Amino acid sequence: MKSNAAIYGKKKFSLFWVLAIVFAVVWLVIAGAPFVFQIFTSLKTQGEFITGGLFKIPDRLSFENYATVMQGGFYRYFVNSVIVLAVSLTLLLFISAFAAYPLSRMQFKLNRPIFGAIVATMSIPIHITLIPVFMMSIRMNVYDNVIAVIGPNVAFNLPMSIFILTAFMQGLSKEIEEAAEIDGCGKFAAFFKVIFPLSKSGLATLGIYNGVVIWNEFIFVMILTQSQKSRTLPLAIWEYQGQYSMNTPLIMALLVLSSLPVILLYVFGQDKLVKGMMAGAVKG
Amino acid sequence: MAGSKMVSLRSARQHSIRIAAAVFLLPALLFLIVYVAYPIVESFITSTMAWNGMGRKRVFTGAENWINLAKDINFWRAFGNNVKIMFLSLVFQVPFAMALATFLDVTERRGAVFKVVWFIPYLISSVAIGVLFKYTLDANYGVIASISKLFGGGGVDLLGNPRIALYTVIGVVCWQYIPFYMVLYLAAYGTIPVELYEAASIDGATRSQYFWRVSLPLLRPTIVSGMTLSIIGSLKYFDLIFVMTGGGPGVSTELMATYMYKLSFVRYNMGYGATVASGMFILITLVALIVISTLNRKTEL
């Protein structure tokens, strides 16, 4: 990556660097301290936490909290989260690629107004849709079913995804598609055989970015489901927190377990995530 | 004859493009109509009704809910809290995120460890962060209270004190979102052409001149879109604050969204809940229009 290290880095041990590093370390503490508290506390028993205080190093590491969380139906929430993520993300990526294709590469009268309307949807607060979507899920008989959450997940992440993919597809060369058309490909064959495969890197970026958003989604799951059999991890946190609110170490163990998948994803997909954020904010 | 055949061929082609475009756009438009457009219309209709959400009996009450909304101190207080969060978020997020991004850009790979830890807050769900901070800031067992006790002080109740709870919440909001803007600015740094560094360095630019005269102007479009996201996002906040304080103590951290949620899904006053949601929609749309038109105009100059 290009950087301005060249100009900043000329003098190595100046006051500038001392201040910069102090600032960096202070921020490291601010960003990291809550997580240290989380992991440290999760390895204590409740008794130890209450009597020994926060800073007491436990006599032995206790993994009982993790075991308790796992036995308490954590697995079910996790599976639900995976199902919701997989279905929502697959639909989201296909549908936004479908929509981005004509918006980026076809000339027709309503092209710009439709694109504008989709982009404008980004600033709409989800809260105005809560009551109607809640009623709709009851009428459609999907209330308290993981399926109910998928529609809103797809719909509310579509505008940004379409926006990003449209920009991405505009960057693909025209010639390949034209060559395919001369070879007798229709628009549909051109899409599936040429454009969609060429968009892989854009789709991967979007997939990781939206994956984090969907994995963490809270309010729709809260209003559209009510029992453990259909709730996802953010709701597990919410419910355990109500049920075991006095047992701080247990709650901390739960937080560690529920955050791990996203942190792992980040470790592997760092570049893609950054690209997705950048693309998304170009014209938020 | 040949001419008319050409025209009809072109129009046939146009026709087939229109059909293909419609087919490709259909699924997306269907989702947006069912889950966004229809609910907005339905919410505005519900906002003119008295309705508890149970059963089908909705009673048309005309503008009554809207008149109540205009006079509702709790709603305007919630809006005020949203606006406070919006301003303070901007004041803290932009400079801190910029400083962090500049540090990471300058140190390149040597700063990689910092980057990973700094970014983690943004990845964790708002619910997890809300719960984490509820315990981190606990008056007796939390981190700050424990440090205070270590030095012989008493408990510190940052979330339970109505006068400071909102500012505590804003601190947590910044903690969560600064990493997002940091990565945004960092990515924007990556787009500055390397020739500009060389040119500035040949011209004898100092570090601060370089930052103010070269980097900052080039990062401006990204800063503007970051600010737009932050402003609109601040007016929509829900998860984090709902979990951390539930709007309390009292109504000191109540937001438009938490107020709407409680009215609709706790007190089952869906008619008025829909009015609050619609009011929120109108306010956010107005702010979005103002922000986008003014900020974008300035960038183009």
Side-chain angles (χ1 to χ4, degrees), chain B residues 47-48 61-73 75-76 272 275-276:
Chain B
S47 77
T48 62
T61 55
E64 199 185 303
N65 283 337
W66 284 92
I67 293 165
N68 288 338
L69 185 74
K71 291 189 294 196
D72 188 344
I73 302 163
F75 175 74
W76 292 109
Y272 192 52
T275 316
V276 171

Side-chain angles (χ1 to χ4, degrees), chain B residues 2-301:
Chain B
S4 79
K5 199 172 181 187
M6 286 281 283
V7 169
S8 71
L9 217 87
R10 190 189 293 156
S11 75
R13 195 177 144 72
Q14 276 296 317
H15 186 67
S16 76
I17 284 180
R18 272 200 299 272
I19 289 175
V23 172
F24 277 114
L25 280 166
L26 195 67
L29 294 181
L30 210 66
F31 267 91
L32 290 173
I33 288 167
V34 171
Y35 288 101
V36 184
Y38 158 74
I40 291 173
V41 175
E42 179 66 20
S43 280
F44 272 96
I45 294 171
T46 311
S47 77
T48 62
M49 312 267 180
W51 183 39
N52 64 6
M54 320 286 179
R56 304 255 153 189
K57 270 178 273 163
R58 308 203 291 182
V59 182
F60 181 73
T61 55
E64 199 185 303
N65 283 337
W66 284 92
I67 293 165
N68 288 338
L69 185 74
K71 291 189 294 196
D72 188 344
I73 302 163
N74 286 335
F75 175 74
W76 292 109
R77 219 186 133 157
F79 177 64
N81 286 341
N82 275 114
V83 171
K84 271 187 206 161
I85 295 181
M86 181 179 98
F87 275 111
L88 289 173
S89 295
L90 280 182
V91 168
F92 287 106
Q93 282 168 0
V94 175
F96 277 108
M98 184 57 76
L100 296 175
T102 307
F103 179 85
L104 290 177
D105 185 57
V106 168
T107 56
E108 287 181 305
R109 293 196 165 275
R110 279 170 292 168
V113 182
F114 290 106
K115 186 174 151 192
V116 171
V117 178
W118 284 347
F119 189 67
I120 289 176
Y122 182 71
L123 292 172
I124 312 297
S125 71
S126 297
V127 179
I129 289 178
V131 171
L132 175 58
F133 271 91
K134 211 168 146 181
Y135 289 92
T136 304
L137 300 174
D138 184 88
N140 290 311
Y141 300 109
V143 173
I144 292 173
S146 297
I147 293 175
S148 155
K149 281 178 181 169
L150 211 62
F151 291 101
V156 182
D157 198 4
L158 290 175
L159 285 173
N161 181 337
R163 266 179 307 170
I164 50 176
L166 184 67
Y167 300 100
T168 311
V169 164
I170 292 172
V172 180
V173 167
C174 290
W175 182 87
Q176 184 186 14
Y177 283 96
I178 283 175
F180 173 82
Y181 297 105
M182 170 191 89
V183 171
L184 202 63
Y185 298 149
L186 184 63
Y189 262 120
T191 64
I192 298 179
V194 76
E195 290 76 21
L196 284 177
Y197 303 105
E198 288 158 12
S201 134
I202 289 166
D203 289 347
T206 64
R207 287 189 191 113
S208 66
Q209 278 174 333
Y210 181 77
F211 177 76
W212 295 107
R213 304 261 176 91
V214 181
S215 305
L216 209 56
L218 287 167
L219 295 177
R220 198 149 128 187
T222 311
I223 296 173
V224 166
S225 47
M227 283 169 71
T228 313
L229 282 179
S230 170
I231 289 170
I232 295 170
S234 302
L235 297 174
K236 300 196 260 193
Y237 276 138
F238 177 78
D239 302 5
L240 181 71
I241 290 155
F242 176 71
V243 171
M244 202 162 36
T245 68
V251 289
S252 57
T253 59
E254 193 82 277
L255 304 177
M256 292 191 285
T258 57
Y259 187 48
M260 181 271 159
Y261 173 81
K262 285 182 198 166
L263 281 172
S264 314
F265 295 99
V266 179
R267 294 183 218 154
Y268 289 102
N269 187 352
M270 295 232 176
Y272 192 52
T275 316
V276 171
S278 307
M280 194 179 156
F281 171 78
I282 293 172
L283 287 171
I284 291 178
T285 308
L286 280 177
V287 172
L289 286 176
I290 293 169
V291 167
I292 289 166
S293 65
T294 52
L295 283 183
N296 285 347
R297 194 183 319 135
K298 272 192 199 140
T299 4
E300 275 161 26
L301 285 176

